[in-house]
């Protein structure tokens, strides 16, 4: 049975950035490496050459059973099979594959809370890079935002930013989410973090970011509105 990881591609297709953040460009969908796991792997060297993620021998059967249930969309048995796989998981590969399958099942059932749980499992496995996991959290956050579950969206964006703190797209989306929550001061502070992240990378933040931050600060009568205006003019004198 072929075992294919599609976590990142699935989340990016299933989600969108906050609608309010129209000046931001969403990252293009990216396909993660394809992996193949057989119920009984005869040649580990062959698997490694093909780029497959190999689970432990102890967890293999439980993972194949879980994959079968997920591919069949057998929602009645998936939770028990996830628990059974978790009980025998012993490597980061095992835990990653469980999380990926949990995520795939959640996307199929359009269950945002289960998607978040799947991404948590992938993050906890330690298999993926922080930047890749941040993209998964951003996808989940976009779903929560569009469903108007703003607290959950903000929590997911915070996790994403913690993993990839210099990613200005994540910071801007978090800023828009804070604004939608009615937390104007936090929104402005987050936009300023995005401006500072661009500066640290030797770049200038887009003028629209300065405008957005100043607009929120001015409307909310925040004391830093004047400072933001000065920073905008300094960055864009014309």
């Amino acid at each position: 049975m072929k075992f294919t990881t599609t976590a990142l591609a699935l989340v990016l297709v299933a989600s969108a950035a906050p609608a309010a953040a129209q000046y931001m460009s969403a990252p293009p969908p990216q396909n993660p490496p394809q992996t193949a796991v057989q119920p009984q792997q005869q040649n580990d060297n062959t698997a490694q050459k093909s780029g497959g993620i190999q689970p432990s021998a102890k967890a293999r059967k439980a993972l194949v059973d879980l994959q079968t249930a997920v591919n069949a969309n057998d929602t009645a048995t998936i939770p028990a099979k996830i628990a059974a796989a978790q009980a025998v998981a012993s490597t980061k590969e095992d835990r990653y594959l469980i999380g990926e399958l949990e995520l795939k099942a959640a996307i199929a059932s359009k269950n945002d809370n289960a998607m978040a749980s799947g991404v948590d499992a992938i993050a906890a496995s330690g298999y993926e890079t922080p930047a890749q996991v941040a993209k998964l959290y951003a996808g989940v956050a976009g779903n929560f935002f569009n469903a108007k579950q703003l607290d959950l969206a903000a929590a997911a964006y915070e996790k994403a930013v913690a993993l990839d703190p210099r990613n200005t797209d994540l910071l801007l989306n978090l800023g828009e989410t804070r604004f939608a929550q009615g937390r104007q001061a936090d929104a402005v502070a987050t936009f300023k973090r995005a401006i500072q992240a661009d500066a640290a990378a030797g770049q200038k933040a887009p003028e629209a970011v300065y405008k957005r931050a100043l607009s929120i600060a001015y409307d909310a009568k925040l004391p830093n509105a004047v400072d933001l205006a000065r920073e905008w003019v300094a960055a864009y004198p014309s």
Side-chain angles (χ1 to χ4, degrees), residues 47-73:
Q48 290 172 2
K49 289 178 181 178
S50 68
I53 299 176
Q54 291 302 303
S56 66
K58 184 179 179 182
R60 189 185 303 279
K61 183 182 183 304
L63 279 164
V64 171
D65 289 346
L66 172 57
Q67 177 187 241
T68 300
V70 170
N71 288 345
N73 198 26

Side-chain angles (χ1 to χ4, degrees), residues 4-231:
T4 303
T5 58
T6 54
L8 181 57
L10 283 169
V11 168
L12 290 172
V13 168
S15 63
Q22 296 178 1
Y23 53 81
M24 285 177 265
S25 58
Q30 300 177 27
N31 294 319
Q34 300 296 302
T35 63
V37 176
Q38 303 299 329
Q40 292 183 339
Q41 183 64 51
Q42 298 296 325
N43 190 335
D44 287 340
N45 290 331
T46 300
Q48 290 172 2
K49 289 178 181 178
S50 68
I53 299 176
Q54 291 302 303
S56 66
K58 184 179 179 182
R60 189 185 303 279
K61 183 182 183 304
L63 279 164
V64 171
D65 289 346
L66 172 57
Q67 177 187 241
T68 300
V70 170
N71 288 345
N73 198 26
D74 185 1
T75 56
T77 66
I78 286 172
K81 292 187 184 298
I82 289 174
Q86 289 172 336
V88 294
S90 60
T91 67
K92 65 181 180 181
E93 288 82 4
D94 293 345
R95 297 182 183 93
Y96 170 81
L97 290 169
I98 293 168
E100 191 274 338
L101 286 167
E102 185 178 355
L103 179 59
K104 183 177 180 180
I107 291 171
S109 62
K110 298 181 180 179
N111 185 329
D112 290 335
N113 288 312
M115 282 177 62
S117 177
V119 176
D120 284 340
I122 290 172
S125 76
Y127 182 83
E128 280 286 12
T129 65
Q132 291 293 88
V133 178
K135 290 179 182 178
L136 296 178
Y137 276 123
V140 171
N143 280 354
F144 281 134
F145 184 96
N146 293 329
K148 301 190 185 307
Q149 298 186 62
L150 299 178
D151 291 346
L152 293 175
Y157 275 129
E158 288 283 10
K159 290 180 180 179
V161 168
L163 289 164
D164 195 2
R166 294 189 178 182
N167 187 319
T168 54
D169 283 340
L170 296 177
L171 287 165
L172 294 171
N173 282 322
L174 175 59
E176 289 295 347
T177 304
R178 291 304 187 195
F179 175 74
Q181 288 178 297
R183 294 172 55 171
Q184 290 92 337
D186 289 335
V188 171
T190 305
F191 286 130
K192 289 196 69 172
R193 286 172 62 190
I195 292 170
Q196 292 163 358
D198 276 336
Q203 301 171 352
K204 183 165 63 173
E207 187 173 12
V209 178
Y210 286 94
K211 288 182 179 179
R212 182 66 170 147
L214 177 58
S215 174
I216 295 172
Y218 180 82
D219 290 343
K221 297 180 173 58
L222 298 178
N224 59 351
V226 174
D227 290 337
L228 280 168
R230 291 196 182 103
E231 290 175 22

